Every structure is written in structure tokens, then in C-alpha cells.
Amino acid sequence: MNTNSIAGGIIFAFAVVYTILAFNIPPSSFTTAAVGPSVFPIAIGVMLAVISLALLFNGLLEARASSAERQEGIGSGVLHEPEENHEQSLKKLLVVIVLLFGYICLFFALGYVLSTILFIFSTTLYLDREHWIRNLIYSIVFPVIVFLLFNHVLSVYLPTGPFN
């Protein structure tokens, strides 16, 4: 198994739990609501599950191809290194999972916009320190656009946190 298959399996388990919880969201009290409050979380959970399964199977196929290549001695005689050092990749995965857990814990206290800005910026800064200005711009622009889209276009109100 490689990092992709491990990450795909962990994210798939998270997506399944997330989707099950999304199905338990109570229906809207507004009778005129065209879209219920559970529609978007369910769609996100299903998409996350599908994408994580693709990552899982891709990792398994890569591991199988790498294993077969090593057994048959195919190649130029040069040992192929994995895409990154396995321990470093595992460390990155664990750090991102901790950041995601922190995001979940701070989501309602800080609200969608602020918690998402902090999550995206800290994750991208950890993974790519060289482009911190670009990361900061993305981490501010994306949550603001999503917040405005959900609150003003879709009438799905995201938590505002201390900014009521």
C-alpha cells in the first residue's frame, strides 16, 4: 500500500460518516424552500466518497504496478524512488488531518469565513511555503465567494460566528 491508497481509505471512511450525518439533517421548516438543508451536504459527501475511492484505487494500481516492476526487474536498471519519501508523505497527511480536525472544531465558533480562511491558508502554507502571497489571496477569496453564493444566491445560511 502507498500513501494514495491510505489517504483514499481514510477520506472514504470520513465521507461515509459525513454523508450518513448529512442524511440526518432535519428538513427545512420553510414550506416554500426549493432545496432542503441536507441537499448540499449529501452531494458533497457523495462526491468526496467517489473521489476518495478513485484515489484509493489509483494508489492500489500504482502499488501493484510498482510491485510487479520490482519483481520482474523491468526498467532501466535504476531503482525507482516513490514520488516522495514515504515517511514525509505520511507526516504531511497527518498534519493535514490535524488541521482538518482543528477546522471542524473552530467552524461554528469562528464562523464559515474565518475558519475556512485559516484552514486553507494554514494547509497551503504548510504544503507550499514559497507561494504564501498567492495562498493568502486564495484562502481569502474562495471562502468569501462561497459565503456570498450560499447566503445571497442559494439562501443557505452558513455560520457567521462572532460576526452576526
Side-chain angles (χ1 to χ4, degrees):
M1 295 191 72
N2 61 13
T3 307
N4 284 345
S5 56
I6 293 169
I10 291 171
I11 295 170
F12 179 74
F14 173 80
V16 168
V17 171
Y18 175 87
T19 305
I20 289 170
L21 293 174
F23 274 106
N24 293 325
I25 295 175
S28 175
S29 60
F30 297 109
T31 57
T32 60
V35 177
S38 65
V39 170
F40 290 107
I42 290 171
I44 290 169
V46 169
M47 287 189 289
L48 185 60
V50 169
I51 291 169
S52 64
L53 281 176
L55 181 63
L56 173 71
F57 289 125
N58 185 29
L60 292 173
L61 291 174
E62 286 176 359
R64 179 179 283 167
S66 175
S67 174
E69 186 175 295
R70 271 187 258 124
Q71 286 178 353
E72 295 176 8
I74 298 176
S76 61
V78 177
L79 292 175
H80 297 285
E81 291 293 322
E83 58 197 54
E84 287 184 16
N85 183 346
H86 179 69
E87 294 169 2
Q88 183 180 7
S89 296
L90 189 57
K91 178 186 172 198
K92 284 182 181 179
L93 176 64
L94 292 175
V95 168
V96 171
I97 289 172
V98 167
L99 290 171
L100 181 61
F101 182 73
Y103 173 65
I104 292 167
C105 291
L106 295 174
F107 187 76
F108 287 104
L110 297 179
Y112 170 77
V113 175
L114 188 56
S115 63
T116 306
I117 288 170
L118 290 173
F119 172 70
I120 293 174
F121 185 64
S122 60
T123 303
T124 56
L125 187 64
Y126 174 71
L127 296 174
D128 184 14
R129 292 177 196 255
E130 292 179 14
H131 300 99
W132 70 271
I133 294 174
R134 179 194 67 190
N135 296 343
L136 181 63
I137 292 169
Y138 289 160
S139 65
I140 293 171
V141 170
F142 175 76
V144 169
I145 289 173
V146 169
F147 184 82
L148 293 174
L149 177 72
F150 270 71
N151 280 19
H152 298 291
V153 176
L154 300 173
S155 295
V156 176
Y157 300 103
L158 298 172
T160 56
F163 308 109
N164 288 331

